[in-house]
């Protein structure tokens, strides 16, 4: 297809073709593993580049909004890494002749050609911005994407980077990276003659295993097999001897064991009877506390239709914690069922008579400003320190940025998103270890805007959000994260809670 500016635009999805028949593993393998080694390196380089290049539209958006200065080295690095992928693919095109099967050669060649097309598309997107973020570079990319006629835009809009260009570029880039990943997975399967893999990671593992086995000589494999067979015979003999011992074991231990069990039951039964009236000394774990907390808040929310409300008393640490208030629009339960109110809870007269008290939120006169339970949390000190001085965590914190979200949830969803984060010095979030748990907080200088709220709300439950404003976050409960098996990758375990207020 030819765009309005003459730029070549390759279709986002390849034309349907006949599936390549992939044979099952055979005993013969290529004697030269240079192709498989190069293919493994190509896989690893793509996995490293993929999250970085997905952030490419975000860099352009920051330049357009003048929230970030242009960095020529950054865009040159984008382009150099893509060209390196192109060079690796070109090298593989000279090596696949080592495979003896004609059908396998043709299938590998077809997949390599697809990869070359995708890489050239990525270069057409990144290369114009190496020279700067200006109307000429923007127009060049707009003409390549060729969306003006489809959306009915006039030629006078060329050279202006806006939300439409941002959306078109992001959609096209994500599609190209998805096509590259799928094509690379297919190429791995064809080269190794492996079974169909569900994802790229599985195909890479199969490729690595195949390469490792091919690098070993057949004599070493036969020696290893013989050794394993000998060890297996020894183990079988030991198991037979153990079976004979087990047959006589009940006769040997039955009588003394029965007496011992009777004594233990009698002794511990008396201890239990003595202790039954005493309070339990069970030590709650963190999981017990979290489970009780979730169950308690669920029951209270159902009974009182609780709404979060922030009460803050200056120079009073207790007042910096969140207290939820019951909504009295529902019919109240009988007086005999009302939960007892702790003495530390403030009534309406105290709230209005104390000039040192600050409340966020708009409530009616008929609202009940009491909350039946106040639970200490293991993370309270962490929350207090963050709200007093968030920069205190900067030296030890690990900066993270969102790398993958399984789904984007709206405000009314009850499900936590499947979300992964990678280490990134410019990330919007800080991870820190506190009392053997990993917590996640917003970066100290992070401002919540309409642009980043969509990602922010998937990590933190937000109260007080106002569209089209710039807001700061007051931390009520940090999110919890956990490191994954993949290096520098973290997974969201539990959402946090914040209150947003305008700057």
């Amino acid at each position: 297809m030819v765009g309005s500016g003459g730029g070549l635009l390759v279709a986002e999805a390849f034309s349907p073709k006949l599936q390549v028949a992939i044979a099952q593993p055979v005993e013969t393998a290529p004697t030269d593993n240079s192709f498989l080694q190069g293919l493994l390196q190509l896989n690893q380089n793509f996995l490293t580049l993929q999250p970085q290049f997905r952030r490419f539209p975000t860099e352009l958006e920051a330049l357009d909004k003048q929230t970030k200065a242009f960095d020529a080295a950054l865009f040159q690095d984008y382009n150099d890494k893509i060209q390196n992928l192109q060079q690796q693919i070109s090298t593989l095109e000279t090596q696949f002749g080592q495979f003896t099967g004609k059908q396998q050669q043709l299938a590998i060649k077809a997949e390599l050609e697809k990869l070359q097309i995708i890489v050239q598309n990525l270069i057409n997107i990144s290369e114009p911005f190496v020279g700067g973020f200006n109307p000429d570079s923007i127009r060049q990319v707009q003409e390549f994407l060729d969306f003006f006629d489809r959306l009915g835009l006039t030629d006078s809009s060329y050279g202006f980077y806006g939300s439409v260009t941002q959306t078109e570029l992001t959609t096209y880039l994500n599609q190209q990276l998805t096509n590259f990943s799928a094509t690379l997975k297919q190429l791995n399967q064809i080269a190794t003659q492996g079974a169909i893999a569900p994802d790229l990671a599985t195909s890479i593992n199969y490729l690595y295993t195949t390469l490792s086995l091919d690098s070993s000589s057949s004599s070493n494999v036969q020696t290893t097999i013989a050794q394993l067979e000998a060890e297996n015979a020894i183990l079988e003999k030991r198991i037979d001897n153990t079976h004979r011992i087990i047959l006589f074991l009940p006769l040997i231990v039955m009588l003394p064991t029965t007496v011992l069990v009777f004594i233990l039951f009698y002794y511990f039964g008396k201890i239990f009877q003595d202790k039954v009236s005493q309070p339990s000394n069970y030590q709650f774990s963190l999981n017990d506390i979290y489970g009780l907390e979730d169950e308690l808040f669920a029951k209270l929310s159902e009974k009182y239709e609780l709404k979060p409300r922030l009460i803050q008393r200056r120079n009073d640490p207790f007042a910096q914690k969140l207290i939820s208030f019951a909504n009295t629009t529902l019919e109240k339960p009988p007086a005999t069922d009302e939960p007892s109110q702790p003495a530390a809870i403030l009534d309406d007269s105290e709230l209005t008579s104390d000039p040192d008290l600050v409340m966020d939120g708009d409530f009616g006169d008929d609202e009940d400003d009491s909350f039946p339970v106040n639970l200490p949390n293991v993370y309270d000190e962490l929350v207090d320190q963050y709200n007093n001085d968030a920069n205190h965590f900067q030296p030890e914190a690990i900066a993270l940025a969102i790398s993958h979200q399984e789904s984007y949830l709206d405000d009314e969803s009850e499900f936590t998103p499947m979300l992964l984060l990678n280490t990134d010095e410019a990330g919007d979030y800080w991870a820190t270890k506190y009392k053997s748990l990993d917590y996640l907080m917003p970066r100290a200088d992070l401002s919540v805007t309409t642009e980043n709220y969509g990602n922010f709300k998937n990590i933190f439950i937000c109260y007080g959000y106002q569209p089209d404003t710039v807001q700061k976050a007051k931390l009520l409960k940090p999110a919890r994260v956990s490191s994954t098996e993949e290096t520098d990758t973290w997974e969201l375990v539990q959402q946090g809670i914040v209150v947003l207020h305008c700057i």
Side-chain angles (χ1 to χ4, degrees):
M1 298 175 63
V2 179
S4 58
L8 176 63
L9 177 62
V10 179
E12 296 180 356
F14 296 108
S15 300
K17 296 182 179 180
L18 294 176
Q19 293 291 334
V20 179
I22 302 178
Q24 295 299 321
V26 294
E27 296 181 356
T28 60
T31 57
D32 183 6
N33 290 324
S34 58
F35 180 87
L36 295 181
Q37 292 171 349
L39 181 57
L40 179 61
Q41 186 64 41
L42 176 64
N43 279 269
Q44 294 171 342
N45 290 347
F46 172 70
L47 290 181
T48 302
L49 175 62
Q50 186 179 23
Q52 179 182 357
F53 202 67
R54 286 189 186 276
R55 295 194 297 269
F56 183 78
T58 304
E59 299 289 342
L60 297 180
E61 184 180 20
L63 293 176
D64 179 58
K65 294 183 178 181
Q66 298 182 352
T67 60
K68 187 175 182 180
F70 177 77
D71 186 359
L74 176 65
F75 289 93
Q76 183 64 50
D77 182 59
Y78 276 129
N79 197 61
D80 290 345
K81 289 182 178 179
I82 298 174
Q83 290 182 347
N84 183 44
L85 289 180
Q86 187 180 48
Q87 180 61 38
Q88 287 182 301
I89 297 172
S90 299
T91 302
L92 292 176
E93 287 178 333
T94 65
Q95 295 175 338
F96 70 84
Q98 66 185 246
F99 294 96
T100 56
K102 188 65 175 179
Q103 185 179 9
Q104 188 180 21
Q105 288 183 1
L106 292 176
I108 291 175
K109 180 180 179 181
E111 300 304 322
L112 290 175
E113 290 175 351
K114 293 179 182 179
L115 293 179
Q116 284 286 24
I117 293 174
I118 299 174
V119 170
Q120 185 59 49
N121 290 340
L122 297 178
I123 292 176
N124 290 339
I125 293 176
S126 65
E127 193 172 39
F129 296 107
V130 173
F133 185 74
N134 51 59
D136 291 338
S137 60
I138 296 173
R139 181 187 180 99
Q140 187 174 347
V141 172
Q142 288 172 334
E143 290 178 345
F144 172 74
L145 295 178
D146 192 22
F147 59 89
F148 273 52
D149 291 341
R150 173 165 48 85
L151 299 181
L153 302 179
T154 61
D155 292 347
S156 61
S157 298
Y158 277 115
F160 294 95
Y161 190 92
S163 60
V164 176
T165 303
Q166 171 77 9
T167 301
E168 291 290 330
L169 178 60
T170 302
T171 302
Y172 182 78
L173 176 62
N174 290 337
Q175 183 62 49
Q176 293 301 307
L177 293 177
T178 300
N179 289 344
F180 194 100
S181 177
T183 306
L184 195 58
K185 177 176 73 72
Q186 182 71 6
L187 179 59
N188 293 342
Q189 296 167 0
I190 296 174
T192 58
Q193 294 184 330
I196 298 298
D199 51 35
L200 181 58
T202 305
S203 69
I204 293 177
N205 291 335
Y206 193 93
L207 171 62
Y208 177 79
T209 303
T210 302
L211 186 60
S212 301
L213 292 176
D214 289 345
S215 62
S216 301
S217 62
S218 59
S219 59
N220 291 337
V221 174
Q222 294 298 330
T223 302
T224 303
I225 294 175
Q227 181 180 358
L228 291 175
E229 290 178 347
E231 292 177 353
N232 185 59
I234 295 175
L235 290 175
E236 289 180 350
K237 184 176 181 180
R238 290 179 179 177
I239 291 174
D240 292 338
N241 294 334
T242 304
H243 285 167
R244 285 192 290 269
I245 295 175
I246 292 176
L247 291 177
F248 293 98
L249 187 59
L251 299 177
I252 298 174
V253 301
M254 182 179 296
L255 182 59
T257 301
T258 303
V259 175
L260 178 61
V261 169
F262 176 78
I263 295 174
L264 290 177
F265 269 102
Y266 178 79
Y267 178 73
F268 285 106
K270 289 185 63 66
I271 294 177
F272 177 76
Q273 290 178 354
D274 295 337
K275 296 287 185 179
V276 69
S277 60
Q278 299 180 4
S280 174
N281 293 326
Y282 176 75
Q283 299 295 325
F284 282 90
S285 66
L286 290 177
N287 289 333
D288 293 329
I289 294 175
Y290 286 135
L292 290 174
E293 180 187 38
D294 293 340
E295 182 178 355
L296 177 59
F297 277 112
K299 291 182 178 179
L300 292 174
S301 297
E302 180 180 0
K303 186 173 183 179
Y304 297 99
E305 195 181 14
L306 297 181
K307 293 183 178 179
R309 185 174 186 181
L310 177 64
I311 296 183
Q312 179 178 358
R313 185 189 301 277
R314 299 182 181 92
N315 301 323
D316 183 2
F318 169 78
Q320 297 178 5
K321 302 176 182 178
L322 174 69
I323 301 178
S324 300
F325 294 86
N327 187 342
T328 58
T329 56
L330 296 178
E331 182 180 357
K332 292 186 177 180
T336 56
D337 296 336
E338 286 287 332
S340 59
Q341 305 298 324
I345 301 302
L346 304 178
D347 58 24
D348 291 339
S349 61
E350 292 174 326
L351 294 177
T352 55
S353 63
D354 190 349
D356 199 28
L357 195 61
V358 178
M359 295 191 297
D360 292 337
D362 186 13
F363 295 86
D365 295 335
D366 60 344
E367 249 184 332
D368 181 9
D369 294 340
S370 61
F371 186 82
V373 176
N374 178 31
L375 291 177
N377 299 298
V378 69
Y379 48 77
D380 281 349
E381 294 181 5
L382 177 69
V383 172
D384 293 340
Q385 181 63 53
Y386 178 87
N387 291 329
N388 290 335
D389 181 16
N391 288 314
H392 169 79
F393 298 95
Q394 184 173 9
E396 301 296 334
I398 302 174
L400 301 178
I402 296 176
S403 61
H404 174 75
Q405 297 186 82
E406 189 67 25
S407 61
Y408 296 88
L409 306 178
D410 52 26
D411 293 334
E412 298 179 355
S413 176
E414 299 179 355
F415 298 96
T416 301
M418 191 280 180
L419 186 144
L420 298 179
L421 305 98
N422 283 346
T423 55
D424 188 343
E425 294 182 359
D428 289 340
Y429 309 96
W430 286 350
T432 184
K433 183 175 288 296
Y434 179 75
K435 294 186 178 180
S436 5
L437 292 176
D438 294 316
Y439 289 102
L440 189 69
M441 306 167 291
R443 194 182 66 230
D445 57 348
L446 177 64
S447 297
V448 179
T449 64
T450 304
E451 287 75 15
N452 63 10
Y453 177 67
N455 291 332
F456 188 83
K457 70 176 181 179
N458 283 328
I459 299 181
F460 296 96
I461 299 173
C462 301
Y463 296 104
Y465 172 69
Q466 300 181 25
D468 301 325
T469 59
V470 179
Q471 297 179 280
K472 288 291 186 181
K474 179 177 180 65
L475 186 63
L476 304 181
K477 178 179 180 181
R480 287 183 58 199
V481 293
S482 175
S483 58
T484 64
E485 295 181 356
E486 186 175 351
T487 306
D488 298 331
T489 301
W490 303 73
E491 180 180 3
L492 178 66
V493 176
Q494 186 181 51
Q495 287 179 290
I497 305 175
V498 297
V499 169
L500 299 178
H501 59 88
C502 296
I503 298 177

